[in-house]
Amino acid sequence: MVRNYIRKTTRRAWTVTQLTGAIRDVRSGQSTNSVCQKYAIPKRTLRRYLEKQGGTKGNVVLPHLGNFVPIFDEEQEDRLVGIIIRMSDCGYGLTSKVVRSLAFQFAETNNITHPFDMEKQHAGLGWFIGFRRRHPNLALRTPEKTSMARSTGFNRAAVNVFYDNLERIYGSSVYSPDRIWNADETGFSTVPNKSSKVLAVKGRRQVGAISSAERGVNTTVMMTVSAAGQYLPPMFIFPRQRMNDALKIGAPAGSIFECNPSGWSTVSTCTKWFDHFLAYARPTAEAPVLLILDGHSSHTKNVEMIEKAARNNVRILSIPPHTSHKLQPLDVSVMGPLKTKYGQAVDRLLRREPGRVVTVYDVATLVNEAFEATATMKNAVAGFRATGIHPFDTGLFSDADFAAATNLIASNRTADKNVQTEAIKPTPSTAAQFITFSMCENNSYMTTQDKPGHDDLIQVNGCELLQFEIPHQERNEPEFGWEVSGDSEFLTVDPNVYYTVEKNGAVTIQRLEATELNELLTLEEQQLDTNRNSVSLIDHAARDGPDTTKVTKFELSPEPVGPAPVARKRKSQKRKGEQSEELTSTAYRERLLKQSAEKEVKNIKKGQRRNKRKKADTNTDTDVLCPSCGVRFSDSIDGRGWMMCLKCRVWYHSECGSNDEMMCEACS
């Protein structure tokens, strides 16, 4: 087919809508000449369609013009478009080559005449270009890699919990946009992950770009932004033991700095940042502040920060795990442009000073350059709007946004569910139905409905299909031969289940006991059974007669290669039990204090056991005294009845404390 066809005639310049309107006007009593001039339709053409029976009924059917006949009609192409969009929503987008192969299989399954390549089994490039031109809503996009944890974590149930908590907070107090904040950490490496595109000679296989090193040194920067477009000076966390004033050169005005060996955010660095946040936000009882954070342990397990927030009229709300790419304003609209501008700043520095190596002493200056270019009010407001936080919008995400999680969660439930095979009782009907059991790549059988007129054993795309004709009351044709339709299902085949085809065409499923199996199988078949090949189809009767009863056994077992390896338990990426919570609520604070106290007790007991193994005396590092009664912690039973003061961090008996359960008698 010609890829860029240019029309050479003006035949049928009018549309079906114009012709239908002209016929309606003539039937209503208007003159033919005026109607032809009004709709730009030749008089002879209008009279011809008026004389046709379709014209009198108002149903206009236009014959095809030209030699180029479309392969698929509009309805069939809409089916292809629906599959492409559905796979993209689920996170398994189709490439151009896969779409071309899909078009070939669709034409073959539906017996559509096509000029596609039979050897390569895919449609041509010209068809694909025309397909995209006919459907401009489809575009080739570079997908963003999304982990399995994020794909399953962003589900409707977790998002609804977050919005319910946010709605409850909004209902208890009024928060203006300048009182709604979001904070998040991100890393800036001396070697950016993504380089900018450059011009080079066409056809050259490799184009290099000078970088400081093979792997860079990462510096954590904590950003804070409000729904009104305000930005707080960032906090830099350098991977060093001690601070150096040279690291602060070129940083944004008002920035704060910390160091730790890893360069990551910790409880202590987060607490220092929170003091920095309070100095700028200045929350009061009349103007409280809402702070939205992710579920990092330095936020959710930080007792000191949470208690300080509760005392200073700051309410902290955490987002669900693995949902920051959709529910965190900074991740949605600020971090991406910031990282891009940072990479461009690094490239400019290397071009400006050849031979220069970027170090951690240059990070503050480069981040400041990128920060000034991207820290705009427009980006900040867009992030809060895109997440539905402000303005508050619970219906922002549609079913397409949750399609990946819905598909993966449903697949996991199906895989974990034990399917019990039940007997199929044929129902009398005049119309027969063909059911195909096909072996899939994952060693499972898929049953689909196919059209009659095939042999018992056929091959489609290199896959053996065994067809049985059984009676059925209703007949539902699938859209595709390989697609699971309404009456299709994936079968988990039991080795002890036999599918019996009677002479009248009926299929029954029979479960046999071990003794019956030994009587039924021959010695040769038992040897095949113990060999455990991938799939064995055993016919127990010859296929030489119309009245022959045929029993076929399906075995699904992988072929062993040496001893089976021991499966190593992998740590689940999903953080169980975590969801969106208000960290400053009384219930969460009490639970966190209890967990912190239990951890402290556990550490003390661990130190006692270590000292006993070393046969050393108990020291003050592993044993404590109650400041009121002087009783040792080691003398108590299981460490019960002890609490830790939030102010002086001293352990004491709960009975010896003050009226305030969170402070000792000396600090109350």
Side-chain angles (χ1 to χ4, degrees):
M1 182 179 293
V2 179
R3 188 172 301 174
N4 297 317
Y5 176 75
I6 301 176
R7 188 173 183 180
K8 302 178 180 62
T9 65
T10 57
R11 291 184 58 192
R12 196 186 293 172
W14 40 267
T15 62
V16 177
T17 305
Q18 291 175 322
L19 180 60
T20 305
I23 293 174
R24 183 180 63 253
D25 291 349
V26 172
R27 298 299 180 190
S28 63
Q30 299 183 25
S31 64
T32 306
N33 292 335
S34 62
V35 170
C36 290
Q37 293 179 2
K38 177 181 178 181
Y39 291 98
I41 298 177
K43 186 186 300 183
R44 192 170 181 178
T45 301
L46 180 58
R47 287 178 178 176
R48 185 171 67 250
Y49 278 98
L50 286 170
E51 293 173 357
K52 289 184 178 181
Q53 184 178 1
T56 58
K57 294 182 178 181
N59 300 324
V60 178
V61 179
L62 300 179
H64 178 73
L65 293 180
N67 297 326
F68 302 108
V69 181
I71 300 171
F72 304 124
D73 56 23
E74 293 183 2
E75 181 181 357
Q76 292 168 344
E77 286 202 350
D78 289 341
R79 294 181 184 178
L80 290 174
V81 172
I83 291 178
I84 294 171
I85 295 176
R86 186 162 64 248
M87 294 298 293
S88 176
D89 292 339
C90 293
Y92 297 95
L94 305 181
T95 62
S96 58
K97 189 173 182 179
V98 174
V99 172
R100 291 163 62 187
S101 178
L102 183 70
F104 176 85
Q105 296 180 42
F106 179 72
E108 286 289 317
T109 305
N110 293 275
N111 298 325
I112 299 174
T113 304
H114 61 83
F116 300 151
D117 192 341
M118 298 296 296
E119 181 179 355
K120 297 182 179 179
Q121 295 188 353
H122 60 68
L125 183 60
W127 174 88
F128 179 72
I129 294 175
F131 177 75
R132 287 189 56 194
R133 189 177 301 161
R134 291 187 296 273
H135 301 280
N137 59 325
L138 299 179
L140 283 175
R141 300 283 301 275
T142 301
E144 182 179 351
K145 293 182 180 180
T146 306
S147 64
M148 188 67 66
R150 284 193 170 188
S151 299
T152 55
F154 186 74
N155 55 78
R156 189 176 291 278
V159 173
N160 287 342
V161 171
F162 170 73
Y163 282 133
D164 290 343
N165 292 332
L166 188 60
E167 185 177 10
R168 177 174 49 81
I169 293 175
Y170 282 162
S172 61
S173 182
V174 178
Y175 293 90
S176 57
D178 59 326
R179 295 290 174 178
I180 303 174
W181 294 84
N182 174 229
D184 187 28
E185 303 93 348
T186 187
F188 290 92
S189 175
T190 55
V191 180
N193 297 328
K194 188 176 181 181
S195 301
S196 302
K197 292 184 178 181
V198 297
L199 290 175
V201 178
K202 188 175 182 179
R204 181 166 294 178
R205 292 178 177 269
Q206 292 183 346
V207 178
I210 300 296
S211 64
S212 300
E214 295 293 334
R215 298 182 62 181
V217 180
N218 190 70
T219 300
T220 301
V221 178
M222 192 159 188
M223 310 288 298
T224 313
V225 64
S226 73
Q230 302 164 314
Y231 291 83
L232 259 63
M235 175 182 184
F236 291 81
I237 306 173
F238 294 100
R240 296 171 57 89
Q241 288 283 3
R242 290 176 295 275
M243 192 64 199
N244 190 334
D245 290 340
L247 297 170
K248 305 177 182 180
I249 298 175
S255 301
I256 58 175
F257 306 89
E258 274 292 311
C259 290
N260 62 52
S262 64
W264 297 342
S265 176
T266 60
V267 172
S268 60
T269 58
C270 188
T271 304
K272 183 176 180 180
W273 165 85
F274 189 73
D275 294 336
H276 173 67
F277 171 76
L278 290 177
Y280 277 88
R282 297 179 181 178
T284 61
E286 294 75 17
V289 168
L290 172 62
L291 178 61
I292 298 175
L293 302 172
D294 57 23
H296 194 265
S297 59
S298 62
H299 307 154
T300 59
K301 306 300 180 183
N302 195 333
V303 179
E304 184 178 355
M305 185 190 74
I306 294 175
E307 291 297 328
K308 190 177 295 185
R311 294 193 301 267
N312 288 275
N313 304 295
V314 178
R315 301 184 72 171
I316 302 178
L317 177 64
S318 66
I319 63 175
H322 309 299
T323 60
S324 60
H325 62 298
K326 294 284 190 179
L327 293 179
Q328 183 135 260
L330 279 168
D331 279 353
V332 171
S333 64
V334 177
M335 294 303 188
L338 184 65
K339 290 290 189 70
T340 301
K341 293 296 183 181
Y342 174 80
Q344 295 174 0
V346 173
D347 293 340
R348 285 194 296 270
L349 177 62
L350 295 177
R351 286 195 299 266
R352 188 170 58 248
E353 302 179 20
R356 171 73 178 272
V357 175
V358 179
T359 64
V360 291
Y361 293 94
D362 303 312
V363 171
T365 303
L366 297 172
V367 170
N368 184 30
E369 187 176 345
F371 185 74
E372 291 177 352
T374 58
T376 62
M377 181 183 297
K378 180 180 178 181
N379 288 347
V381 174
F384 282 88
R385 185 189 304 112
T387 55
I389 297 176
H390 184 81
F392 185 62
D393 186 5
T394 59
L396 183 66
F397 300 105
S398 62
D399 293 337
D401 298 310
F402 302 108
T406 304
N407 178 63
L408 291 172
I409 293 174
S411 300
N412 294 336
R413 289 177 179 175
T414 304
D416 297 339
K417 185 178 180 181
N418 295 325
V419 180
Q420 300 294 333
T421 308
E422 299 180 356
I424 299 178
K425 297 182 180 180
T427 55
S429 176
T430 56
Q433 182 183 13
F434 281 79
I435 291 186
T436 303
F437 295 88
S438 60
M439 176 63 184
C440 302
E441 294 180 359
N442 58 350
N443 288 340
S444 64
Y445 271 88
M446 183 178 67
T447 170
T448 60
Q449 302 165 353
D450 208 343
K451 298 179 181 180
H454 296 280
D455 298 330
D456 289 340
L457 187 62
I458 63 175
Q459 284 192 353
V460 175
N461 299 327
C463 179
E464 291 188 352
L465 307 178
L466 190 61
Q467 293 187 331
F468 301 131
E469 181 180 356
I470 64 171
H472 201 277
Q473 291 183 350
E474 297 180 359
R475 179 77 177 264
N476 295 323
E477 293 292 342
E479 296 182 1
F480 300 90
W482 65 90
E483 187 180 5
V484 180
S485 62
D487 293 336
S488 303
E489 61 181 354
F490 286 92
L491 300 180
T492 301
V493 181
D494 191 334
N496 299 329
V497 177
Y498 279 72
Y499 296 78
T500 306
V501 184
E502 303 294 342
K503 56 185 179 180
N504 60 352
V507 177
T508 57
I509 296 179
Q510 183 179 5
R511 182 180 292 275
L512 303 179
E513 301 296 334
T515 55
E516 297 176 326
L517 286 174
N518 294 331
E519 295 175 0
L520 183 63
L521 298 177
T522 61
L523 179 61
E524 180 181 0
E525 292 167 349
Q526 292 179 6
Q527 293 175 354
L528 290 175
D529 188 18
T530 56
N531 193 21
R532 309 295 289 177
N533 286 331
S534 58
V535 176
S536 61
L537 302 179
I538 307 172
D539 292 341
H540 297 275
R543 309 168 98 188
D544 54 357
D547 298 334
T548 303
T549 301
K550 180 174 57 181
V551 179
T552 305
K553 182 180 180 182
F554 296 84
E555 297 179 359
L556 302 179
S557 302
E559 184 176 358
V561 182
V566 179
R568 201 171 67 178
K569 294 184 178 180
R570 299 183 62 185
K571 187 176 180 180
S572 176
Q573 295 181 352
K574 186 175 181 181
R575 296 176 289 189
K576 297 183 178 179
E578 295 188 16
Q579 59 180 357
S580 172
E581 290 187 272
E582 184 184 350
L583 305 185
T584 50
S585 63
T586 304
Y588 184 86
R589 289 160 55 199
E590 291 179 353
R591 186 166 73 249
L592 186 60
L593 286 172
K594 182 179 179 181
Q595 293 174 357
S596 178
E598 291 175 352
K599 186 176 180 180
E600 293 286 348
V601 170
K602 185 177 179 180
N603 292 336
I604 292 175
K605 287 182 174 293
K606 187 183 296 184
Q608 291 176 356
R609 290 193 297 267
R610 188 183 301 113
N611 289 335
K612 287 181 180 179
R613 286 194 299 267
K614 294 180 180 180
K615 297 182 179 181
D617 296 336
T618 304
N619 52 40
T620 57
D621 294 334
T622 58
D623 202 359
V624 294
L625 299 175
C626 177
S628 299
C629 62
V631 177
R632 287 183 178 272
F633 172 81
S634 57
D635 296 336
S636 61
I637 302 175
D638 297 334
R640 297 178 180 177
W642 289 78
M643 297 187 67
M644 183 177 62
C645 178
L646 289 177
K647 190 172 183 180
C648 63
R649 312 291 290 182
V650 172
W651 285 88
Y652 63 93
H653 270 118
S654 58
E655 298 177 354
C656 301
S658 61
N659 296 329
D660 190 349
E661 296 182 357
M662 299 181 182
M663 292 187 183
C664 63
E665 187 176 5
C667 297
S668 59

